[in-house]
Amino acid sequence: MTVVVLLVLAGVLWLTRPWQRCGDGLTSAGDVCVGLNLESGTLRAGDPLADLEQLIADRNARAGDTFKTIVVLDNLTPDPDVDSTPIDFTRHVVQGAIAAAWPHPDTTGVKLLLANFGTNAEHWRDAVERIVESAESLHIAAVTGLGTSLENVRRAIAELGSHGIVTIGSTVTADDLNLGPDGKPVKTFFRVGPTNSDEAQAAVNYIAKLPKRRTMLVADVNEADTYAGTLAKAFTEQQLVPIQFTKKYDSLEGQLTGTSRDAYLQKLFRGMHSDICTAQPDVIYFAGRGVDLGSFVHALSNDGACQGLRSVTVLSGDDAATLVGSKLPLDGDIAVTPLYTALAYPDQWKMFTGHDAALTYQQNYTDFLNAFTGTHEFAAADLSDGAAMIEHDAVATAVKAAEEDPAGSPRSVTNFVASIDCNSAVDGATGFIAFGQDSGNQIDKVLPILRIQADGTTGPVDLVWSRGRPLDTSPSCAS
């Protein structure tokens, strides 16, 4: 009987093969799969990206014999107890990549692969090693996405760069993310979004126009999170708006024992309540993750009224987009008006009028919208957080450079990305994409300032440019 049971068990194990539950290019890391998803299969049980992965597999099968591959590297299996990015935001990133890779039903010559480095990019090395191994055989032109600005993401960028592989960040905004372990710039790194300095300057310019602007800074000092650190640094170093008060907190790294990130931080932020009441700020600049901003708003709203402080404007960076769709208590003990500098907004070009290029910007967005909602039948509501728009522009940039590169090797694409300047800008959903000659950062980036409503929807407040003006695309722009 024992022999029979063992044989049956062995048969079950062979049929299910749990050690092979992750597809080709992937490695098991607890309940998720990390690495390069060569088969475009699921990355975990009940994978909420399964339909998109199947769509990618179907389109890759139609790419033809001569193709270039774009890889989207991100945390594709976010854990709500640890990660600051919700799965819907991640889903929109993938949708934007799909719309850029295959804008028309008959588009061929492009393959798209997803690479997962997991929570806090802890498994970045697994993903990077698989990408490097497949770079030549799959004609990998660039790696896009990159998720959030973390030290592990910086390591991934530097390692890919050491192998000559281009990275084009979409949602990574930390100013120093382009620096390798030696402190020198990674020449293969580019980004289509703004830097935190751009965002802080936009916020400062907005605050400076307010009739009341007594300002307080609340900053995350988690050293592993370069987004929060560089956002606080950029805001602190500006000279236009004095900072009367500063409060700091540490979001900590990894999963907490016995509590959630939200519960922990709400308790911590409630301890700031009396200091905020005493300081009486008109504006609080929140240099931290969007998920932490949500905890901060709950603490302000639910911890008692302040004599003399009935309302406050809380302004933050682009990561606040992860709160889109979440209900917030904005009319509690202290009424809160949450604003943030967004990477993109679907109606942003309706705020841009009276400029010679306005119709061109609007048409570029319409072309993107047709690919997103027409070719792939994604819902227009999925554009609300801007994630699909900005990732679309990263992949579209990679595709343009890959198409122009006659050599077809990962190392050769860098020059063609670097040559995307004001004379040869990419027609992006978020505006024209052009890079500075020395930094790899996008120049003259537009930044919508949005308000988050109590029901989680957003509304436009202002439209500002990182250098105070739209990109000059005239023939003399580079002179």
Side-chain angles (χ1 to χ4, degrees), residues 49-69:
L49 302 180
D51 60 323
L52 299 180
E53 289 154 348
Q54 183 59 57
L55 192 158
I56 290 171
D58 293 343
R59 291 306 305 246
N60 282 345
R62 297 157 53 186
D65 296 331
T66 304
F67 61 87
K68 303 288 180 67
T69 299

PDB file of all heavy atoms in Angstrom, residues 49-69:
ATOM      1  N   LEU A  49      -3.201  40.058 -14.374  1.00  0.00           N
ATOM      2  CA  LEU A  49      -2.689  40.493 -15.675  1.00  0.00           C
ATOM      3  C   LEU A  49      -2.816  39.398 -16.733  1.00  0.00           C
ATOM      4  O   LEU A  49      -2.311  39.548 -17.840  1.00  0.00           O
ATOM      5  CB  LEU A  49      -1.216  40.900 -15.549  1.00  0.00           C
ATOM      6  CG  LEU A  49      -0.873  42.016 -14.558  1.00  0.00           C
ATOM      7  CD1 LEU A  49       0.634  42.278 -14.569  1.00  0.00           C
ATOM      8  CD2 LEU A  49      -1.633  43.293 -14.881  1.00  0.00           C
ATOM      9  N   ALA A  50      -3.482  38.304 -16.415  1.00  0.00           N
ATOM     10  CA  ALA A  50      -3.515  37.134 -17.299  1.00  0.00           C
ATOM     11  C   ALA A  50      -4.051  37.458 -18.680  1.00  0.00           C
ATOM     12  O   ALA A  50      -3.524  36.982 -19.696  1.00  0.00           O
ATOM     13  CB  ALA A  50      -4.341  36.015 -16.657  1.00  0.00           C
ATOM     14  N   ASP A  51      -5.105  38.282 -18.760  1.00  0.00           N
ATOM     15  CA  ASP A  51      -5.672  38.600 -20.073  1.00  0.00           C
ATOM     16  C   ASP A  51      -4.705  39.421 -20.919  1.00  0.00           C
ATOM     17  O   ASP A  51      -4.613  39.239 -22.141  1.00  0.00           O
ATOM     18  CB  ASP A  51      -6.999  39.330 -19.919  1.00  0.00           C
ATOM     19  CG  ASP A  51      -6.863  40.638 -19.165  1.00  0.00           C
ATOM     20  OD1 ASP A  51      -6.052  40.705 -18.216  1.00  0.00           O
ATOM     21  OD2 ASP A  51      -7.572  41.610 -19.506  1.00  0.00           O
ATOM     22  N   LEU A  52      -3.941  40.304 -20.273  1.00  0.00           N
ATOM     23  CA  LEU A  52      -2.956  41.109 -21.001  1.00  0.00           C
ATOM     24  C   LEU A  52      -1.778  40.249 -21.438  1.00  0.00           C
ATOM     25  O   LEU A  52      -1.234  40.432 -22.537  1.00  0.00           O
ATOM     26  CB  LEU A  52      -2.476  42.272 -20.128  1.00  0.00           C
ATOM     27  CG  LEU A  52      -3.551  43.269 -19.682  1.00  0.00           C
ATOM     28  CD1 LEU A  52      -2.935  44.366 -18.834  1.00  0.00           C
ATOM     29  CD2 LEU A  52      -4.287  43.857 -20.883  1.00  0.00           C
ATOM     30  N   GLU A  53      -1.391  39.305 -20.588  1.00  0.00           N
ATOM     31  CA  GLU A  53      -0.299  38.393 -20.943  1.00  0.00           C
ATOM     32  C   GLU A  53      -0.682  37.535 -22.143  1.00  0.00           C
ATOM     33  O   GLU A  53       0.145  37.274 -23.025  1.00  0.00           O
ATOM     34  CB  GLU A  53       0.061  37.549 -19.720  1.00  0.00           C
ATOM     35  CG  GLU A  53       0.759  38.357 -18.638  1.00  0.00           C
ATOM     36  CD  GLU A  53       0.576  37.792 -17.235  1.00  0.00           C
ATOM     37  OE1 GLU A  53      -0.280  36.890 -17.054  1.00  0.00           O
ATOM     38  OE2 GLU A  53       1.263  38.255 -16.325  1.00  0.00           O
ATOM     39  N   GLN A  54      -1.946  37.111 -22.191  1.00  0.00           N
ATOM     40  CA  GLN A  54      -2.408  36.318 -23.330  1.00  0.00           C
ATOM     41  C   GLN A  54      -2.427  37.164 -24.597  1.00  0.00           C
ATOM     42  O   GLN A  54      -2.045  36.699 -25.677  1.00  0.00           O
ATOM     43  CB  GLN A  54      -3.810  35.778 -23.044  1.00  0.00           C
ATOM     44  CG  GLN A  54      -4.355  34.880 -24.159  1.00  0.00           C
ATOM     45  CD  GLN A  54      -3.484  33.669 -24.417  1.00  0.00           C
ATOM     46  OE1 GLN A  54      -3.226  32.885 -23.512  1.00  0.00           O
ATOM     47  NE2 GLN A  54      -3.000  33.504 -25.657  1.00  0.00           N
ATOM     48  N   LEU A  55      -2.843  38.421 -24.466  1.00  0.00           N
ATOM     49  CA  LEU A  55      -2.858  39.321 -25.613  1.00  0.00           C
ATOM     50  C   LEU A  55      -1.435  39.523 -26.146  1.00  0.00           C
ATOM     51  O   LEU A  55      -1.202  39.506 -27.363  1.00  0.00           O
ATOM     52  CB  LEU A  55      -3.471  40.665 -25.207  1.00  0.00           C
ATOM     53  CG  LEU A  55      -3.854  41.666 -26.298  1.00  0.00           C
ATOM     54  CD1 LEU A  55      -4.892  42.651 -25.776  1.00  0.00           C
ATOM     55  CD2 LEU A  55      -2.648  42.443 -26.821  1.00  0.00           C
ATOM     56  N   ILE A  56      -0.485  39.688 -25.231  1.00  0.00           N
ATOM     57  CA  ILE A  56       0.922  39.851 -25.625  1.00  0.00           C
ATOM     58  C   ILE A  56       1.422  38.601 -26.346  1.00  0.00           C
ATOM     59  O   ILE A  56       2.098  38.690 -27.379  1.00  0.00           O
ATOM     60  CB  ILE A  56       1.789  40.164 -24.400  1.00  0.00           C
ATOM     61  CG1 ILE A  56       1.481  41.578 -23.880  1.00  0.00           C
ATOM     62  CG2 ILE A  56       3.279  40.029 -24.719  1.00  0.00           C
ATOM     63  CD1 ILE A  56       2.126  41.902 -22.548  1.00  0.00           C
ATOM     64  N   ALA A  57       1.094  37.435 -25.822  1.00  0.00           N
ATOM     65  CA  ALA A  57       1.517  36.182 -26.457  1.00  0.00           C
ATOM     66  C   ALA A  57       0.958  36.074 -27.872  1.00  0.00           C
ATOM     67  O   ALA A  57       1.666  35.683 -28.813  1.00  0.00           O
ATOM     68  CB  ALA A  57       1.070  34.992 -25.608  1.00  0.00           C
ATOM     69  N   ASP A  58      -0.300  36.435 -28.038  1.00  0.00           N
ATOM     70  CA  ASP A  58      -0.927  36.366 -29.359  1.00  0.00           C
ATOM     71  C   ASP A  58      -0.259  37.329 -30.338  1.00  0.00           C
ATOM     72  O   ASP A  58       0.002  36.968 -31.499  1.00  0.00           O
ATOM     73  CB  ASP A  58      -2.423  36.688 -29.256  1.00  0.00           C
ATOM     74  CG  ASP A  58      -3.199  35.629 -28.485  1.00  0.00           C
ATOM     75  OD1 ASP A  58      -2.665  34.521 -28.311  1.00  0.00           O
ATOM     76  OD2 ASP A  58      -4.331  35.931 -28.047  1.00  0.00           O
ATOM     77  N   ARG A  59       0.020  38.551 -29.899  1.00  0.00           N
ATOM     78  CA  ARG A  59       0.641  39.531 -30.791  1.00  0.00           C
ATOM     79  C   ARG A  59       2.091  39.175 -31.088  1.00  0.00           C
ATOM     80  O   ARG A  59       2.580  39.382 -32.204  1.00  0.00           O
ATOM     81  CB  ARG A  59       0.551  40.935 -30.187  1.00  0.00           C
ATOM     82  CG  ARG A  59      -0.852  41.528 -30.116  1.00  0.00           C
ATOM     83  CD  ARG A  59      -1.570  41.519 -31.472  1.00  0.00           C
ATOM     84  NE  ARG A  59      -0.822  42.167 -32.523  1.00  0.00           N
ATOM     85  CZ  ARG A  59      -1.174  43.282 -33.151  1.00  0.00           C
ATOM     86  NH1 ARG A  59      -2.288  43.895 -32.796  1.00  0.00           N
ATOM     87  NH2 ARG A  59      -0.444  43.781 -34.127  1.00  0.00           N
ATOM     88  N   ASN A  60       2.800  38.656 -30.104  1.00  0.00           N
ATOM     89  CA  ASN A  60       4.189  38.245 -30.346  1.00  0.00           C
ATOM     90  C   ASN A  60       4.265  37.145 -31.406  1.00  0.00           C
ATOM     91  O   ASN A  60       5.212  37.101 -32.198  1.00  0.00           O
ATOM     92  CB  ASN A  60       4.828  37.743 -29.046  1.00  0.00           C
ATOM     93  CG  ASN A  60       5.239  38.883 -28.124  1.00  0.00           C
ATOM     94  OD1 ASN A  60       5.320  40.038 -28.537  1.00  0.00           O
ATOM     95  ND2 ASN A  60       5.497  38.565 -26.861  1.00  0.00           N
ATOM     96  N   ALA A  61       3.274  36.275 -31.425  1.00  0.00           N
ATOM     97  CA  ALA A  61       3.259  35.175 -32.396  1.00  0.00           C
ATOM     98  C   ALA A  61       3.086  35.683 -33.826  1.00  0.00           C
ATOM     99  O   ALA A  61       3.395  34.973 -34.782  1.00  0.00           O
ATOM    100  CB  ALA A  61       2.133  34.197 -32.052  1.00  0.00           C
ATOM    101  N   ARG A  62       2.615  36.925 -33.964  1.00  0.00           N
ATOM    102  CA  ARG A  62       2.399  37.503 -35.279  1.00  0.00           C
ATOM    103  C   ARG A  62       3.485  38.501 -35.664  1.00  0.00           C
ATOM    104  O   ARG A  62       3.339  39.228 -36.652  1.00  0.00           O
ATOM    105  CB  ARG A  62       1.035  38.214 -35.296  1.00  0.00           C
ATOM    106  CG  ARG A  62      -0.133  37.270 -35.073  1.00  0.00           C
ATOM    107  CD  ARG A  62      -1.370  37.984 -34.533  1.00  0.00           C
ATOM    108  NE  ARG A  62      -1.770  39.128 -35.332  1.00  0.00           N
ATOM    109  CZ  ARG A  62      -2.745  39.970 -34.993  1.00  0.00           C
ATOM    110  NH1 ARG A  62      -3.400  39.770 -33.849  1.00  0.00           N
ATOM    111  NH2 ARG A  62      -3.055  40.980 -35.770  1.00  0.00           N
ATOM    112  N   ALA A  63       4.573  38.551 -34.897  1.00  0.00           N
ATOM    113  CA  ALA A  63       5.600  39.579 -35.108  1.00  0.00           C
ATOM    114  C   ALA A  63       6.385  39.397 -36.398  1.00  0.00           C
ATOM    115  O   ALA A  63       6.942  40.345 -36.937  1.00  0.00           O
ATOM    116  CB  ALA A  63       6.564  39.606 -33.923  1.00  0.00           C
ATOM    117  N   GLY A  64       6.470  38.171 -36.901  1.00  0.00           N
ATOM    118  CA  GLY A  64       7.248  37.901 -38.101  1.00  0.00           C
ATOM    119  C   GLY A  64       8.656  37.452 -37.758  1.00  0.00           C
ATOM    120  O   GLY A  64       9.049  37.376 -36.582  1.00  0.00           O
ATOM    121  N   ASP A  65       9.440  37.160 -38.780  1.00  0.00           N
ATOM    122  CA  ASP A  65      10.800  36.653 -38.568  1.00  0.00           C
ATOM    123  C   ASP A  65      11.798  37.750 -38.219  1.00  0.00           C
ATOM    124  O   ASP A  65      12.796  37.507 -37.548  1.00  0.00           O
ATOM    125  CB  ASP A  65      11.280  35.909 -39.829  1.00  0.00           C
ATOM    126  CG  ASP A  65      10.438  34.677 -40.122  1.00  0.00           C
ATOM    127  OD1 ASP A  65       9.907  34.094 -39.154  1.00  0.00           O
ATOM    128  OD2 ASP A  65      10.301  34.312 -41.310  1.00  0.00           O
ATOM    129  N   THR A  66      11.549  38.950 -38.695  1.00  0.00           N
ATOM    130  CA  THR A  66      12.445  40.079 -38.409  1.00  0.00           C
ATOM    131  C   THR A  66      11.749  40.982 -37.414  1.00  0.00           C
ATOM    132  O   THR A  66      10.774  41.663 -37.740  1.00  0.00           O
ATOM    133  CB  THR A  66      12.765  40.862 -39.691  1.00  0.00           C
ATOM    134  OG1 THR A  66      13.324  39.970 -40.661  1.00  0.00           O
ATOM    135  CG2 THR A  66      13.748  41.973 -39.402  1.00  0.00           C
ATOM    136  N   PHE A  67      12.246  40.988 -36.187  1.00  0.00           N
ATOM    137  CA  PHE A  67      11.560  41.735 -35.135  1.00  0.00           C
ATOM    138  C   PHE A  67      12.567  42.337 -34.154  1.00  0.00           C
ATOM    139  O   PHE A  67      13.719  41.915 -34.074  1.00  0.00           O
ATOM    140  CB  PHE A  67      10.594  40.826 -34.362  1.00  0.00           C
ATOM    141  CG  PHE A  67      11.269  39.665 -33.669  1.00  0.00           C
ATOM    142  CD1 PHE A  67      11.787  39.798 -32.386  1.00  0.00           C
ATOM    143  CD2 PHE A  67      11.407  38.440 -34.319  1.00  0.00           C
ATOM    144  CE1 PHE A  67      12.424  38.730 -31.757  1.00  0.00           C
ATOM    145  CE2 PHE A  67      12.031  37.368 -33.697  1.00  0.00           C
ATOM    146  CZ  PHE A  67      12.546  37.513 -32.418  1.00  0.00           C
ATOM    147  N   LYS A  68      12.119  43.339 -33.425  1.00  0.00           N
ATOM    148  CA  LYS A  68      12.847  43.905 -32.290  1.00  0.00           C
ATOM    149  C   LYS A  68      11.979  43.706 -31.052  1.00  0.00           C
ATOM    150  O   LYS A  68      10.734  43.751 -31.145  1.00  0.00           O
ATOM    151  CB  LYS A  68      13.112  45.402 -32.508  1.00  0.00           C
ATOM    152  CG  LYS A  68      13.866  45.738 -33.788  1.00  0.00           C
ATOM    153  CD  LYS A  68      15.316  45.331 -33.699  1.00  0.00           C
ATOM    154  CE  LYS A  68      16.054  45.677 -34.997  1.00  0.00           C
ATOM    155  NZ  LYS A  68      16.176  47.124 -35.240  1.00  0.00           N
ATOM    156  N   THR A  69      12.606  43.499 -29.915  1.00  0.00           N
ATOM    157  CA  THR A  69      11.869  43.232 -28.678  1.00  0.00           C
ATOM    158  C   THR A  69      12.037  44.385 -27.690  1.00  0.00           C
ATOM    159  O   THR A  69      13.148  44.871 -27.469  1.00  0.00           O
ATOM    160  CB  THR A  69      12.353  41.933 -28.017  1.00  0.00           C
ATOM    161  OG1 THR A  69      12.135  40.831 -28.916  1.00  0.00           O
ATOM    162  CG2 THR A  69      11.606  41.663 -26.716  1.00  0.00           C
TER     163      THR A  69
END
